[in-house]
Amino acid sequence: MVYVLNRIGQPLMPCKEAKARKLLKNHKARVDKREPFTIQLLFDCENRIQDITLGIDAGSKHLGLSATTEQKELYAADVELRNDIVELLSTRRQYRQARRNRLRYRAPRFFNRVHSKNRGQLVPSIEQKIGTHLRVVSDVCGILLISKIIVETASFDIQKIKNPDINGEEYQQG
């Protein structure tokens, strides 16, 4: 499946590889991106598009995406999210503290503390995960004309799955 952009760069419905090969051979299209393979038409055409639904399954370690019409699946991806942000920040903090201790005595400063500057901001690990979600969705919207986005949100009761008869104070016992 080859993704298609019109003359001004807006997404159209994808086509088969054979049709894309003919368009490229006859110089009616050019290669826009290699991954995912996308061509851009060099002539005006009618914009026949179908309704495309993007389904998102957001987890803490993986992000699943699927763009479908009523007949077939046009795009599927499984993105692995980063889980090393906390360790990287703590390593950076350790290096910074060691560097400051090596140089000289530094008087404590009380007016530039982090908790007073970062009110209303997200934790860096969560901010990175949300940024990845938004970037992946915008990448898909760049190659397909998405008409509806469905995000699956589900909370699971792990203790109830392991022990179906649990209730009340038994949750506090672990």
Side-chain angles (χ1 to χ4, degrees):
M1 182 168 305
V2 176
Y3 301 104
V4 181
L5 303 176
N6 65 6
R7 191 173 192 160
I8 58 175
Q10 295 172 339
L12 298 173
M13 293 302 292
C15 69
K16 294 184 179 178
E17 290 87 355
K19 184 168 184 173
R21 207 175 304 118
K22 287 179 187 176
L23 289 170
L24 290 169
K25 187 176 179 182
N26 294 332
H27 302 288
K28 292 185 176 183
R30 68 174 183 83
V31 176
D32 187 57
K33 284 191 284 187
R34 298 237 181 242
E35 188 64 34
F37 192 74
T38 307
I39 62 172
Q40 184 172 6
L41 300 178
L42 300 175
F43 63 94
D44 290 326
C45 67
E46 71 257 12
N47 297 336
R48 286 194 201 151
I49 51 174
Q50 301 171 12
D51 287 336
I52 300 174
T53 303
L54 178 66
I56 302 171
D57 182 12
S60 65
K61 295 183 182 177
H62 290 276
L63 172 66
L65 298 163
S66 178
T68 59
T69 61
E70 290 187 13
Q71 286 83 22
K72 62 181 177 178
E73 184 177 46
L74 302 175
Y75 182 85
D78 181 33
V79 179
E80 188 173 347
L81 300 172
R82 291 183 65 176
N83 289 317
D84 61 343
I85 303 293
V86 175
E87 292 86 16
L88 293 173
L89 289 175
S90 65
T91 304
R92 186 174 76 176
R93 183 175 57 243
Q94 289 172 354
Y95 284 138
R96 185 175 59 242
Q97 288 172 350
R99 188 174 60 244
R100 286 178 176 169
N101 289 334
R102 265 196 319 267
L103 294 175
R104 61 180 169 79
Y105 173 75
R106 183 170 169 259
R109 299 177 183 172
F110 294 102
F111 297 115
N112 62 350
R113 296 294 147 203
V114 173
H115 64 80
S116 62
K117 288 192 283 187
N118 294 341
R119 294 197 191 273
Q121 292 183 354
L122 293 173
V123 182
S125 57
I126 301 297
E127 189 174 341
Q128 192 276 332
K129 287 183 181 187
I130 291 173
T132 302
H133 282 67
L134 295 175
R135 181 182 51 81
V136 169
V137 169
S138 69
D139 289 348
V140 173
C141 290
I143 59 171
L144 292 170
L145 194 61
I146 304 295
S147 59
K148 184 167 63 168
I149 296 177
I150 298 174
V151 179
E152 179 184 333
T153 56
S155 58
F156 296 102
D157 189 355
I158 301 299
Q159 286 185 328
K160 193 77 162 178
I161 292 171
K162 289 181 180 177
N163 181 11
D165 299 328
I166 195 169
N167 61 5
E169 293 179 1
E170 294 176 358
Y171 276 107
Q172 296 172 357
Q173 308 303 322

